[in-house]
Amino acid sequence: MRVLVAANLTPFLYGGAQAHIKGLVKALHAQGHQVECLQLPFAFFPNSQVSRAMRHAVELDMAAPSGQTIDRLIGLQFPAYGVQHPNAVAWVMHQHRAVYDLYATQSNNGKELKALQDEVMAFDAKALSSLAAAHRLFANSVCVANRLQQFNGLKARALYHPPPEAERFFCATAENYFFFPSRFETLKRQKLVIEAAQLMRSSATMVLAGEGGQWPQAQEQVAKLGLGQKVKLLGAIRPEEKWVWMSRSLAVCYPPFQEDYGYVTLEAMLASKPVITCNDSGGPLEFVQHEETGLVVEPTAQALADALDTFASN
């Protein structure tokens, strides 16, 4: 079968979505299919660029480009799941959350964003409604499926995707630190974790790995609070380094806000490490059982600090 995977490309922005795309393509190849990945350029702002991306996606007919027949299209991301094909399936990783569950938090929540909200919702309704009716609409987590139901009235089946190189994770003797690997962005809440590290009573340190838009702010926060000995910022690390850092941690701290899925949770469990997350963290709550596989706490610095201290002393 010839399969086309349709997704997005935001240059130099790498995270779980990109790992999912590569993992799906690899798995399809392993099953003997011919696979190509169509990645459409995407920019989150300005709003005019989002509108342009939607128009571009729906104008693409991939049934038989240049006479080359494609048997199935799998759309993964907004707006790539709007690419036209008679045998399309959507496996939604996330929608354009700025006009959905994050709409009320936007600082520029005015007429322009409201117009974009209307445009995006109309786009999603047209692109996804027929797929839902044909039972060809899937989500990468229950959290994402619930959003589709809440905002669009669409029923999607949740299909979990394993983290990349799942077999490479292992457990080693715990050392006196907690680990938090993730892209440095506001929704990942590194700022909150650094505040929690300041409140910790134990001698354990907090190790954060990754890069992203909030990296400079994290550096500034650590310096301002005088936490140079308490918080270690690794920056970007190789997968081999992540496996080791995770294997030797006391626990993994992962408290994002309404995460779509979150490979970090599963990676921690593959390394036999408990996970500390928050009661509004979304995807991680599908796996973390309070006081069984981790701790679920309020999204405050003090609650996180108390949870970290619990593991440090036990």
Side-chain angles (χ1 to χ4, degrees), residues 163-183:
E165 301 189 271
E167 70 283 356
R168 302 297 294 273
F169 289 87
F170 62 96
C171 182
T173 301
E175 298 180 9
N176 197 33
Y177 68 86
F178 297 99
F179 190 46
F180 180 11
S182 185
R183 193 171 69 251

Side-chain angles (χ1 to χ4, degrees), residues 20-43:
H20 186 146
I21 295 164
K22 290 184 177 180
L24 176 58
V25 170
K26 182 180 178 180
L28 289 169
H29 274 301
Q31 291 296 315
H33 300 293
Q34 292 180 276
V35 189
E36 292 282 358
C37 185
L38 173 67
Q39 290 191 264
L40 307 179
F42 183 78

Side-chain angles (χ1 to χ4, degrees), residues 194-314:
I194 293 171
E195 292 173 357
Q198 184 186 29
L199 299 175
M200 283 170 53
R201 299 183 304 276
S202 74
S203 61
T205 58
M206 176 61 65
V207 179
L208 296 92
E211 56 186 352
Q214 292 298 307
W215 170 258
Q217 288 82 351
Q219 288 181 303
E220 181 180 344
Q221 183 184 9
V222 169
K224 183 178 180 180
L225 296 177
L227 295 176
Q229 301 300 313
K230 194 72 173 178
V231 177
K232 186 178 182 67
L233 301 177
L234 299 179
I237 60 174
R238 301 188 308 275
E240 296 86 349
E241 295 176 287
K242 180 169 68 173
W243 303 330
V244 173
W245 277 107
M246 191 167 282
S247 73
R248 296 175 179 171
S249 65
L250 288 166
V252 170
C253 186
Y254 189 51
F257 175 71
Q258 289 298 322
E259 181 67 68
D260 294 319
Y261 181 22
Y263 281 142
V264 174
T265 310
L266 299 179
E267 291 171 341
M269 293 181 174
L270 287 165
S272 299
K273 300 297 177 179
V275 179
I276 301 169
T277 192
C278 293
N279 57 16
D280 64 350
S281 287
L285 300 177
E286 297 173 36
F287 303 98
V288 181
Q289 300 297 316
H290 184 60
E291 296 184 343
E292 292 184 18
T293 54
L295 294 177
V296 179
V297 301
E298 295 289 331
T300 67
Q302 188 61 64
L304 281 172
D306 291 343
L308 293 165
D309 283 332
T310 296
F311 279 114
S313 63
N314 188 346

